[in-house]
Amino acid sequence: MGAILLERDRNGIVWFTINRQEKRNAINYEVMDALQETIRMVEKSDEVKILVITGAGDQAFCSGGDLSEFHHLHAKEEAYHMLKKMGTILYSLLTVSKPTVALINGTAVGGGCELATACDFRYARKGAKVGFIQGKLGITTGWGGATMLFEKLPYTRALDILLRAEYMSVETMYEYGWVHSLLSGENITEECRKLLSPYLAQTVSVLRAYKRAAVEKWKNDEFRARFFSEITCCSILWESEEHEEAVRAFLDKS
């Protein structure tokens, strides 16, 4: 079975599931390429109405970048290539002309939170933990996450989340406005479908029109400059000794 599962149901929802439970659904290049291709398909299709991204199992939504695959990246130029690749994918996810949902079935860490932030809606299983913990690894968000967070949340709340660099409950993140709906956990896929049913009643043309109106503000040069400047900043910190030590400690513990 591959690193992702892809399903399109008869209602027009595409379900993109990261299927790497043994790695807590961490993102590697295979997942990146599959997500990029899926976003392109969703953009072009006249049948797809909504894209839902989730993780396999019930333990992890996404634990960010797979450090066991990326640990060989030391120089900032090497890191930048990987960071820009995923950042570009998340920018396309942010601006795709269909509604998108992060169905947070379990823990979301680091880049997993950036992936979720790129989506329009975040529905989360009660009791799950999420964390923009990049600061504790000696780096910043590297896939555009901070830039997106400052766009989507009030300034002080976004800054608080980033500077804390710690795990927070989805209940707290609901109060912050990052999570839009808390799910009971019994059958979160079905709960997600119910939440999306009013949107699915609209035509693809209506969904496209509203989404395009929403994301137009993120398609200008000023926003793109901020978005990719963040990625450059992370690549510089990536080659720092602090980050090297943090990654070594993480891999030793794993």
Side-chain angles (χ1 to χ4, degrees), residues 39-57:
I39 294 167
R40 287 173 179 159
M41 179 270 290
V42 168
E43 182 65 60
K44 293 177 181 178
S45 174
D46 290 328
E47 283 74 48
V48 174
K49 292 186 172 183
I50 296 173
L51 171 62
V52 177
I53 298 173
T54 191

Side-chain angles (χ1 to χ4, degrees), residues 80-93:
Y80 181 77
H81 177 76
M82 179 274 290
L83 296 170
K84 186 181 179 184
K85 178 180 174 69
M86 188 59 184
T88 300
I89 294 168
L90 290 194
Y91 179 79
S92 68
L93 177 61

